[in-house]
Amino acid sequence: MNNAGALWGGRFKKAPSEALVDLSRSPAEYFRLAPEDLRSSAAHARELTRAGILTSEECADIERALAEVERDFLAGLVLPIPADEDVHTFLERVLKDRIGALGGKLRAGRSRNDQAANDLKLHLRTKVRTLAADVLALQGALVAQAKEHVETITTGFTHLQPAQPVTFAHQLLAHAQGFARDVDRMIDWDRRSARSPLGGAALAGSAIALHPELSAVELGYEGPCENSIDAIGARDHVAEFLFVAAMLGVNLSRLAEEVFLWNSKQFAWVELDDGYATGSSIMPQKKNPDIAELTRGRSSRLIAALQGVLVALKGIPFAYNRDLAEDKWASFEAIDTLELVLPAMTGMIATMEVDRDRLRSQATLGFSLATEVADWLSRQGVPFSEAHDITGALVRYCEAKGCDFAALQASDLAAVDPRLGPDVLPHLTAEAAIAARSGYNGTAPASVRGQIERLEALIDRQNGWAGAGEG
Ligand code: ARG
């Protein structure tokens, strides 16, 4: 044995070089998988008992020791030492320290390759629910703000140019719809990822642990993976988790970008709560939307994590290759980022004050009622292409006169085009434009109330799923 404390070494004449040890050692944060590794070891001990490798008494001793190690690990009483190559090596060492050679029996019928695949999958399956709960808390904040602003009217933009009036609730809920799909993707991911890699035993399947379907269910999976090579070598579930995280990050970044704009002095639509804004070290007047900026910035890490795993995966043959360990930094980076960003965004959205009057004052900026004129003409039988031109001429007329649509008289309309009758004038208010958009997904308050009702029902269902994983 030429690698004391390691899980391998018998066939080596020399100890490993320092450079190899340094490269091979898992980064410190990977040891967070200890609880998953210990739970899985208990399930494996029961599998070895079924296989006749352990007696029931030995199994009970191992299970008791594993539970104690978990308790001590969580209390910070057992820590990895530099010689522990990874979390699996660490825990086997601790177990052997406590129960002697019996601890070494647990290695029969499984490989670290299975443990690595399984531990991370279990971890992701737990985290996907807590992250969903964090997204749903943000949804709660968005819906609460939306309910306050079903009748708050403002400009909607395309190309960041005033386009048409919208209700502010409608604009907030556009983000909520994206987050609802993010949670839906999490639920869908979890369903597809509910297959246990255990029993793979490095690649070919175990000649000892013959009932992975039992350990799978004990660990909360729906069943084992169908193919032991795929079980150990596949990481598409990691890439998919990271896509879901990256998409969520991009959606958060887009919301952050809007808050950033709304909070600018030029927009001045919202005032951030002091608890969710920062100051400047030199300019005493500053109150900065740092949460929005940090969220926008951190989304780059989520994209990088997804990209990192896809690049790591693309060239490696089945089954296990050390490259697969790249699955961990990427997963932890994504989880840690979201766990910081989501509560901060939720607090910022929940506490921001919206200046209704300011929003209303900008609702018709930049001729945002022009579509009402063209729509009115087309209802009079004018082909929309001509209605578009006539309305364009009206905009030009107003620009030349330096006035807004609100100042238009019947004589102005007639001067632009005889088809522009005075009956169009009552349509030229933001309130009228909004009320007219009363279809299923429109911005009219009644439509938005329906949207909120359906969204709240969806959020309830999603909360039921996120909560179901607890304990
Ligand atoms: N620590 C590795 C990982 O996280 C698992 C070790 C598998 N090592 C091996 N030589 N087969 O992926």
Side-chain angles (χ1 to χ4, degrees), residues 26 30 85-86 88 111-113 116 235 320 322 324-325 327-328:
S26 291
Y30 292 14
E85 183 187 314
D86 57 19
H88 324 296
S111 138
R112 275 188 298 168
N113 303 352
R235 290 294 185 277
Y320 186 85
R322 280 304 291 277
L324 290 179
D327 60 359
K328 280 178 268 312

Side-chain angles (χ1 to χ4, degrees), residues 257-276:
E257 173 70 9
E258 293 228 74
V259 173
F260 179 79
L261 288 170
W262 300 340
N263 182 243
S264 69
K265 285 287 168 266
Q266 287 75 9
F267 269 77
W269 285 12
V270 300
E271 171 80 24
L272 297 183
D273 185 84
D274 279 2
Y276 293 92

Side-chain angles (χ1 to χ4, degrees), residues 218-231:
E218 286 178 30
L219 291 172
Y221 291 109
E222 273 166 26
C225 291
E226 286 291 319
N227 176 311
S228 62
I229 298 175
D230 171 63

